[in-house]
Amino acid sequence: YNRGFSGSGPEVMLWQTRNNKFYDDINKEPEYAVFVYINDHLRRIYFNTYGLDLRVYAGYKKNGNSLIEYVPKDIQMHRFNFMRKRTEERLYSSNLLKNEYKDKHFNFLKLHLEETRKELQKRYPNIKFIIIKYPQKLLREGMVLDTVKYAFYTDRWKELEDEGFIIYDLDKKLNVDITNDEYSLPDQHPNEKAWDVITEQLVKDFNL
């Protein structure tokens, strides 16, 4: 069952799994849930929280050890370019994605993943959660913020492994460099050949 759609990230995944309609038409308990993590997802969990991406809205704020949905009072104002720009500047000038807060940001990302699995386990207690870490050329070429790079490459993913998540790092699992042009569309999204290579390895590793 494919529940993904473009431009979204961990915040939308959490919103989906907290809504009953997400589970419509799933007539057999899934063995695996699979989430593909890319470097831009760290940014998206903040931008969507503050209504900066109006195509798909879902945003959360930390409340103790959980996340609660958050809707800015001025969300409709972000349809105006000047308002969107002002909010972006405010976020970047505070602690959004600043390197000194890199562990705080990873904690926020981690909580999105933990809360999502918690929702899935309410219905499917034995489900296994696979996080596919998909590297991109921007990471290789150092064209992303250090905080974003840290979130992708940090050893702290082991914390999620210790909690039972399956961390599937394509850098380590594939015999090819998936960031090469051979496996990418011009905008760096994966092409068909990339998914042929990835799914073949997944099928092999998990006996699908």
Side-chain angles (χ1 to χ4, degrees):
Y1 302 92
N2 185 356
R3 292 292 190 263
F5 51 98
S6 63
S8 61
E11 72 296 331
V12 175
M13 177 174 63
L14 176 56
W15 180 85
Q16 287 177 298
T17 55
R18 284 183 172 179
N19 284 270
N20 289 329
K21 285 188 176 182
F22 177 83
Y23 304 94
D24 287 353
D25 305 322
I26 299 179
N27 49 33
K28 183 180 180 182
E29 181 169 346
E31 185 176 358
Y32 295 99
V34 181
F35 176 68
V36 181
Y37 175 75
I38 63 171
N39 58 273
D40 196 46
H41 284 155
L42 188 67
R43 180 189 67 89
R44 293 180 192 180
I45 59 177
Y46 289 100
F47 268 50
N48 285 343
T49 295
Y50 288 93
L52 291 172
D53 189 345
L54 294 171
R55 295 169 301 167
V56 151
Y57 171 72
Y60 293 89
K61 282 200 166 184
K62 193 170 183 294
N63 182 35
N65 293 319
S66 64
L67 294 169
I68 56 172
E69 194 167 336
Y70 172 76
V71 181
K73 293 179 182 178
D74 56 359
I75 186 170
Q76 293 304 323
M77 290 293 291
H78 289 120
R79 297 187 183 279
F80 295 100
N81 223 19
F82 77 90
M83 185 67 176
R84 177 188 171 95
K85 186 176 180 182
R86 192 183 78 175
T87 301
E88 285 185 22
E89 289 173 351
R90 188 170 70 245
L91 288 174
Y92 275 115
S93 66
S94 57
N95 67 358
L96 177 66
L97 301 183
K98 282 192 173 182
N99 196 43
E100 57 262 41
Y101 298 104
K102 60 181 184 284
D103 280 304
K104 175 183 176 182
H105 299 309
F106 188 83
N107 289 341
F108 194 45
L109 168 65
K110 180 181 169 186
L111 192 54
H112 279 75
L113 298 168
E114 292 168 333
E115 291 283 283
T116 298
R117 188 177 69 156
K118 190 183 301 180
E119 293 298 327
L120 290 169
Q121 288 177 331
K122 289 178 184 177
R123 295 160 177 88
Y124 315 120
N126 299 315
I127 197 165
K128 303 176 188 73
F129 199 118
I130 302 174
I131 301 172
I132 297 178
K133 290 174 61 186
Y134 198 114
Q136 293 174 292
K137 189 174 287 187
L138 289 172
L139 281 167
R140 295 270 198 270
E141 296 176 351
M143 296 173 64
V144 297
L145 293 170
D146 287 344
T147 310
V148 173
K149 190 172 183 178
Y150 172 82
F152 194 89
Y153 288 116
T154 179
D155 291 337
R156 291 195 58 197
W157 288 97
K158 179 69 166 54
E159 297 171 19
L160 286 163
E161 281 188 314
D162 291 343
E163 294 174 16
F165 285 85
I166 299 169
I167 308 302
Y168 197 82
D169 190 338
L170 295 184
D171 270 337
K172 299 174 182 176
K173 297 294 183 180
L174 301 181
N175 293 321
V176 299
D177 183 354
I178 206 71
T179 68
N180 283 344
D181 291 344
E182 180 183 358
Y183 302 100
S184 303
L185 297 171
D187 64 0
Q188 292 198 32
H189 280 80
N191 62 19
E192 183 180 356
K193 188 172 183 179
W195 288 116
D196 285 344
V197 171
I198 295 166
T199 51
E200 182 180 356
Q201 193 64 43
L202 280 169
V203 167
K204 179 181 177 182
D205 289 342
F206 295 101
N207 299 313
L208 301 176

